[in-house]
Amino acid sequence: MPIHVLPPDVAAKIAAGEVVERPASVVKELVENAIDAGARAIRVEARDGGRRLIRVSDDGAGIPADEIPLAFARHATSKLTSVEDLERITTLGFRGEALASIAAVSRLTLVSRPASQSAGVEIRLDGGQQVSLGAKGSPAGTTVTVENLFHNIPARRKFLKAPATEAGHIHRVVVNYALAYPELRFHLTLDRRVAFQTGGSSNLYDVLVEVMGLETARQMVELGSQPPAPGSQPPAIRVSGYVGVPSLHRGQRDRLIFFVNRRWVQDRSLAAAVTQAYHTFLPVGRHPVAVINVTLDPADVDVNVHPTKSEVKFRDQRRVFSMVQKVVRSTVVAAASVPQIRVGFRPGLAHDAAPADSTEFSREEAERWRRLVAAGRRATQLGFEAQRTLPDDETGSLRPAAEEIPLLRVVGQVAQTYIVAEGPDGLYLVDQHAAHERVLYEQIQAERASAQVSSQQLLEPVTLELTPAQAAILDAEADTLAQVGFAIEPFGGTTYRLRAVPQILLKADPATALADILAELAEGAIPLSRQSDERLIVTVCKRAAIKAGQTLSMQEMQELIHHLERCSAPRTCPHGRPTMIHLSAAQLAREFGRT
Ligand code: ADP
Ligand code: MG
């Protein structure tokens, strides 16, 4: 075939494919247009997963009658005039492609009326060709109806997923914009059923309750505000939003939601920054829940990276990530909460109050939690102050003095595994192994920071025969092993001599302890740690810590609790599992029918 320029309608369909990938992309573009038009209320309707019909109505500025056909020309926009404008985008749209693209692959009807016009105008297009244009009575604002999406691109239509799946994508788009714009009212109908709506209260927490349910929302904490550097302007990068307490984790990253200047973005490195902020708080392979707004000068971010505008480029990527990580970390450390025991409702007992395992929370309970959160936020600000003096990449070993547990009185031991203790607000069950791991972990980190690791010479050096895999790890980790207190020297082949061990391992048999540690490292079962020295330390602590099944004296338990009280993150072990659970006085009273 000789080279030829494609006919305009073919070119238009190809271009449309970049913007309109699936029904949810249509919803995204139309909602963005409504927001850009200053709408206060946005209604979205979809039928059959959006194949049959998508309708988005808004009460925004509307399009002047004489501009309506132009809105469907490619690269026609009211939001941008010069290349310079591209440097500082403040609207969601700017490419002037969406209406043209959607119209090219569907039957589209748009009715619009600016408040100043007495009547509206209706335009109909089919496959991008104008079918009709005329006056039409309508409320102020704009309604776009898209029918039979992809009817003229069978290839695309074939690739659509089941209606329920496409509806799910639409749902997600609307939810994300509702989270980004809590001051707007959103209303989503799927196949004539109301699927989601928000009240436009301006309060992000209210939207979180709608999106995630009260049960999850009440486990989320507002990010601490960032105190401006003394004597300077407000920070150039602002990070706000909500993050889950560490016990609220998921198998997928799907609840890590980011907005940059109120634009929803998908960014792996932002997700990594947040996950890293939970370092040692989360179990292996689990992901936190977070809704985070990053606000910065539009000139410092390029949104024109991709036709769907869901990726962005930061001018100073490192600074953005480090800011996000710091703010999240300080909030998480301050808020790491003691998981509450949920004692089940047992019939036959007198229960005035709601059963404690009910997932319905009363207004008062939600209110009480919010007050707790407010207190946590104040603590976060203190924590943030403490962190600001430390270098960026040391977030893993920060020690803000914000998260505390109350002073506990040891009552006894259960199952040779748990310490029973009393606090001012009820009963605590402490996992002796996890708690000791946490204590040792912080001890080693502190010693390492001050370069004063306590190491103990062995009376007799021990000769170790290692497997090649263990020897490889030992060689790779030689520096860190020395830093934490091991003195090991090669003795030919895979044989080594062990001369000294960390003080904390002294009670163990040194040779088996080291072999265990190397074996564990070889399995790679340690969570979320990017640095191998972290992994090594966590492993050493695990090996050195008191085991489950070990009987402890009253004094040993008191000592352990005492050390735990002084940890900077006493509520989780270095693997991210909880060190304790809490049964509050109120819950006890309720269980015994005293309230
Ligand atoms: P862009 O949003 O990139 O400018 P679009 O193709 O999405 O491009 O829209 C073209 C133009 O149509 C917009 O610049 C805007 O002026 C107008 N427009 C589209 N939707 C609406 C709406 N819901 N309310 C008011 N004006 C709209
Ligand atoms: Mg647009």
Side-chain angles (χ1 to χ4, degrees):
M1 199 189 304
I3 296 177
H4 63 288
V5 174
L6 288 171
D9 67 313
V10 179
K13 278 187 200 167
I14 291 173
E18 285 189 346
V19 180
V20 189
E21 199 189 330
R22 59 178 359 145
S25 343
V26 172
V27 174
K28 171 180 181 291
E29 294 296 336
L30 297 180
V31 168
E32 287 189 352
N33 281 348
I35 294 172
D36 282 344
R40 310 298 313 161
I42 300 171
R43 298 179 77 89
V44 180
E45 188 188 340
R47 285 192 214 148
D48 202 14
R51 290 160 178 247
R52 206 137 73 89
L53 176 135
I54 294 169
R55 177 175 291 139
V56 176
S57 319
D58 67 58
D59 58 356
I63 308 175
D66 54 341
E67 291 180 18
I68 283 187
L70 195 56
F72 292 89
R74 195 160 288 279
H75 310 303
T77 178
S78 58
K79 302 169 192 175
L80 194 74
T81 50
S82 66
V83 181
E84 287 77 57
D85 291 347
L86 208 49
E87 306 276 306
R88 301 186 56 88
I89 299 286
T90 53
T91 48
L92 292 169
F94 56 86
R95 298 173 60 103
E97 285 184 327
L99 288 184
S101 297
I102 299 165
V105 295
S106 68
R107 296 198 177 94
L108 187 149
T109 309
L110 177 145
V111 183
S112 190
R113 176 169 82 82
S116 59
Q117 252 172 238
S118 54
V121 170
E122 180 189 79
I123 185 169
R124 285 173 173 277
L125 300 95
D126 191 346
Q129 300 304 310
Q130 186 174 320
V131 177
S132 71
L133 177 70
K136 171 102 179 177
S138 94
T142 304
T143 296
V144 180
T145 309
V146 176
E147 286 162 293
N148 295 350
L149 186 64
F150 299 139
H151 70 93
N152 53 354
I153 315 189
R156 220 9 108 82
R157 200 170 170 90
K158 252 200 333 248
F159 278 102
L160 288 179
K161 299 277 186 291
T165 309
E166 297 297 343
H169 287 288
I170 292 173
H171 190 268
R172 191 153 80 118
V173 165
V174 177
V175 159
N176 284 337
Y177 279 102
L179 286 167
Y181 292 86
E183 74 276 26
L184 305 187
R185 292 203 311 278
F186 285 86
H187 187 279
L188 170 67
T189 317
L190 294 172
D191 289 324
R192 299 179 196 275
R193 287 215 352 258
V194 179
F196 174 72
Q197 56 182 326
T198 62
S201 73
S202 297
N203 190 340
L204 175 55
Y205 187 83
D206 292 336
V207 185
L208 278 178
V209 172
E210 291 302 330
V211 174
M212 314 213 178
L214 187 54
E215 164 75 350
T216 300
R218 66 166 207 114
Q219 297 177 67
M220 297 190 72
V221 184
E222 188 166 9
L223 288 174
S225 61
Q226 298 126 65
S232 78
Q233 272 88 44
I237 305 170
R238 242 180 62 76
V239 182
S240 64
Y242 281 78
V243 294
V245 297
S247 53
L248 182 71
H249 42 70
R250 295 170 65 82
Q252 271 110 44
R253 289 195 187 84
D254 60 341
R255 286 263 162 109
L256 279 170
I257 302 171
F258 298 97
F259 304 101
V260 173
N261 289 345
R262 310 189 89 189
R263 180 190 302 281
W264 175 52
V265 299
Q266 286 168 297
D267 190 310
R268 286 189 150 266
S269 12
L270 274 176
V274 171
T275 301
Q276 246 174 46
Y278 280 77
H279 179 56
T280 78
F281 284 114
L282 289 183
V284 196
R286 306 290 294 180
H287 301 282
V289 174
V291 176
I292 294 177
N293 295 298
V294 179
T295 314
L296 72 176
D297 187 332
D300 287 342
V301 51
D302 185 0
V303 292
N304 191 21
V305 181
H306 193 263
T308 62
K309 301 164 288 180
S310 63
E311 287 169 29
V312 294
K313 271 210 184 81
F314 298 107
R315 184 182 290 191
D316 190 347
Q317 169 130 332
R318 277 188 49 127
R319 235 180 105 227
V320 175
F321 296 159
S322 125
M323 190 66 162
V324 168
Q325 197 174 66
K326 273 186 189 176
V327 174
V328 174
R329 177 80 183 171
S330 62
T331 306
V332 170
V333 168
S337 77
V338 184
Q340 299 268 320
I341 294 183
R342 289 283 159 70
V343 184
F345 176 74
R346 263 160 288 126
L349 286 178
H351 263 277
D352 301 336
D357 64 346
S358 152
T359 48
E360 294 292 312
F361 285 82
S362 66
R363 284 253 162 245
E364 295 86 81
E365 272 177 301
E367 205 27 64
R368 187 180 61 87
W369 173 257
R370 272 211 231 186
R371 279 201 301 276
L372 277 178
V373 166
R377 220 177 299 150
R378 281 193 294 280
T380 305
Q381 277 161 14
L382 294 176
F384 189 82
E385 282 296 347
Q387 293 188 10
R388 272 153 46 82
T389 51
L390 290 164
D392 280 359
D393 49 359
E394 295 222 338
T395 38
S397 53
L398 292 175
R399 304 176 55 86
E403 186 211 74
E404 284 177 0
I405 52 171
L407 295 178
L408 299 178
R409 183 178 71 87
V410 173
V411 177
Q413 193 185 21
V414 179
Q416 294 171 301
T417 300
Y418 308 107
I419 299 169
V420 185
E422 184 192 6
D425 51 348
L427 180 75
Y428 288 77
L429 273 178
V430 179
D431 180 320
Q432 62 193 38
H433 174 67
H436 198 206
E437 277 185 311
R438 165 54 67 184
V439 168
L440 294 175
Y441 176 78
E442 296 205 2
Q443 183 186 327
I444 291 200
Q445 291 291 26
E447 289 178 353
R448 228 162 61 108
S450 57
Q452 288 180 333
V453 174
S454 23
S455 172
Q456 184 70 42
Q457 292 293 131
L458 300 175
L459 289 175
E460 288 277 323
V462 180
T463 307
L464 300 167
E465 294 286 346
L466 300 182
T467 66
Q470 289 172 336
I473 290 173
L474 192 141
D475 287 341
E477 306 286 338
D479 283 352
T480 319
L481 284 164
Q483 274 181 35
V484 301
F486 284 102
I488 305 166
E489 53 197 38
F491 205 64
T494 56
T495 310
Y496 292 79
R497 272 165 82 103
L498 180 60
R499 294 193 163 276
V501 295
Q503 190 83 38
I504 60 168
L505 274 176
L506 208 55
K507 285 191 195 136
D509 170 47
T512 40
L514 182 58
D516 286 354
I517 289 164
L518 294 174
E520 179 123 353
L521 283 175
E523 275 171 29
I526 307 299
L528 296 177
S529 328
R530 83 205 128 119
Q531 288 129 342
S532 59
D533 58 337
E534 274 287 316
R535 261 184 15 231
L536 181 100
I537 291 165
V538 170
T539 314
V540 169
C541 294
K542 179 177 175 188
R543 186 59 179 77
I546 298 165
K547 302 276 171 302
Q550 208 168 318
T551 310
L552 300 179
S553 71
M554 246 354 218
Q555 200 196 333
E556 284 171 320
M557 290 189 282
Q558 271 154 7
E559 217 165 279
L560 174 56
I561 296 290
H562 184 59
H563 284 301
L564 188 65
E565 281 163 4
R566 288 195 269 168
C567 283
S568 67
R571 298 172 194 282
T572 52
C573 80
H575 301 269
R577 284 190 295 270
T579 55
M580 57 180 74
I581 46 184
H582 175 206
L583 185 55
S584 73
Q587 276 175 287
L588 285 170
R590 203 160 51 218
E591 285 301 315
F592 285 106
R594 285 175 169 275
T595 49

